[in-house]
Amino acid sequence: MRYRAAVIGCGRIGSDFGATVAAPGVYSHAGAYTACAATELVAVCDVDAARAQACGKRWHAAAFDDVAAMLREARPHLVSVCTPDETHFEVLRTVLCAPGVNGVLAEKPLALTTRDAACLQELAAARQVKVAINYIRRYSPTHVQVRDAIARGAIGSIQTVGGLYTKGTRHNGSHWFDLARFVAGDVIEVWGIDVRRESTPDPTLDAMLRFASGAGGHLQACSASAYSVFEMDIVGTAGRVRLTESGHRVQFQRVVDSAHYGGYLTLAVDRDVEGDMRDLTLRAVEDLTDAVAAGRTPRCTAADGVAALAIAEAVHESARVGRCVPVLDIAK
């Protein structure tokens, strides 16, 4: 079966990344549905009618400026939601209630609050719709290898997980929190600090973390006006893994005898590899399509989206009240 697909939101991730990214590969949702052998892109939608028309012309799909009309007339089986963060809840609720929709690929965050995200998760379960969140690094073979190597004990027990990020605690921060959960397990409490004092609805906050394993963590906010940065540093008792250049570089370090101080152990580079970040949205579409066909769970689920958002929301709450906040209290 070839699934009919639609994209809501014709901006960068919905459509334009295919034209603006210099590296070869598939980066946009429209490009992914066009490249996937199991899908046919039949419709695109944006509140900006001119943008929708331009997107539809580019991808040879019907163009709409109204979500309900698109769902009714195009009758998609799969829908991507690539609209601004503050619209996710209402758009996703409309999509999940539409007859014939079998799968949804949502951009992060799933909603602006954990309560709304959990509501969408429950609605999807009731409607028997597969929901996947486009936390792209879960679809990278290199990042999966990192997760598996850590699980096998390649760096020993995790001591701490550190990182840098930009562009909002719920927005890009939830990307980092999802990856932290993916490689190091659940976060159970946080302490948020508003170092940057950004006057936005989703400021980029610093955070201290405690994982269920007992490991610690820290995430530091940087200015997006200077440049974009997304890094993670996983330090174990027997080694270390550093993810830099937004995951495009992965460095493994091992414990060796110090060349400078007799009797001391230190870390040295074991191998430095290029992270496989190509075609990740295409891989997300292929995974969702297979999940719908096979009746299985997508690789990155609505529950994962709720969990990442719960950490981000706990960081916001902690920064507001000035104390440590348990993530489970937010997730309830």
Side-chain angles (χ1 to χ4, degrees), residues 154 238-240 252-257 266-271:
R240 178 183 188 183
F252 294 85
Q253 298 181 6
R254 58 189 174 86
V255 177
V256 298
D257 291 322
T266 189
L267 292 167
V269 176
D270 185 33
R271 54 195 174 100

Side-chain angles (χ1 to χ4, degrees), residues 88-318:
H88 285 185
F89 178 71
E90 292 298 337
V91 173
L92 281 163
R93 186 166 61 176
T94 299
V95 170
L96 290 170
C97 290
V101 173
N102 305 124
V104 174
L105 179 59
E107 278 299 319
K108 86 300 176 184
L110 187 54
L112 291 186
T113 68
T114 305
R115 178 175 294 181
D116 282 351
C119 178
L120 292 172
Q121 180 188 3
E122 292 170 5
L123 178 60
R127 300 282 299 178
Q128 297 184 317
V129 178
K130 303 294 183 184
V131 174
I133 313 302
N134 197 29
Y135 286 126
I136 56 175
R137 291 164 186 83
R138 285 187 180 245
Y139 301 97
S140 163
T142 308
H143 288 70
V144 172
Q145 290 167 14
V146 167
R147 189 271 312 271
D148 292 346
I150 290 172
R152 292 194 305 269
I155 64 169
S157 299
I158 295 176
Q159 300 187 73
T160 188
V161 181
L164 304 171
Y165 81 118
T166 58
K167 291 189 177 180
T169 306
R170 289 185 178 90
H171 190 67
N172 278 356
S174 69
H175 256 305
W176 195 92
F177 297 135
D178 180 73
L179 181 58
R181 290 186 65 247
F182 186 59
V183 300
D186 286 330
V187 175
I188 59 174
E189 61 182 16
V190 302
W191 194 304
I193 309 168
D194 189 3
V195 173
R196 299 203 56 79
R197 303 290 181 181
E198 296 173 348
S199 56
T200 64
D202 183 28
T204 312
L205 304 173
D206 283 50
M208 300 295 292
L209 316 172
R210 186 163 73 89
F211 290 82
S213 66
H218 58 277
L219 179 60
Q220 292 177 280
C222 298
S223 171
S225 64
Y227 47 78
S228 177
V229 63
F230 185 101
E231 295 186 359
M232 183 171 287
D233 189 0
I234 307 130
V235 180
T237 55
R240 178 183 188 183
V241 182
R242 296 184 67 235
L243 309 172
T244 60
E245 297 179 31
S246 293
H248 289 271
R249 302 301 307 175
V250 180
Q251 185 183 86
F252 294 85
Q253 298 181 6
R254 58 189 174 86
V255 177
V256 298
D257 291 322
S258 173
H260 305 287
Y261 305 102
Y264 284 85
L265 298 175
T266 189
L267 292 167
V269 176
D270 185 33
R271 54 195 174 100
D272 195 341
V273 301
E274 183 176 353
D276 187 351
M277 296 286 285
R278 181 171 171 173
D279 297 338
L280 299 190
T281 301
L282 172 57
R283 289 170 180 160
V285 164
E286 291 173 338
D287 178 72
L288 176 61
T289 303
D290 184 70
V292 169
R296 64 167 178 81
T297 301
R299 186 177 297 185
C300 189
T301 66
D304 292 316
V306 172
L309 184 58
I311 301 170
E313 195 169 344
V315 171
H316 272 278
E317 177 65 9
S318 173

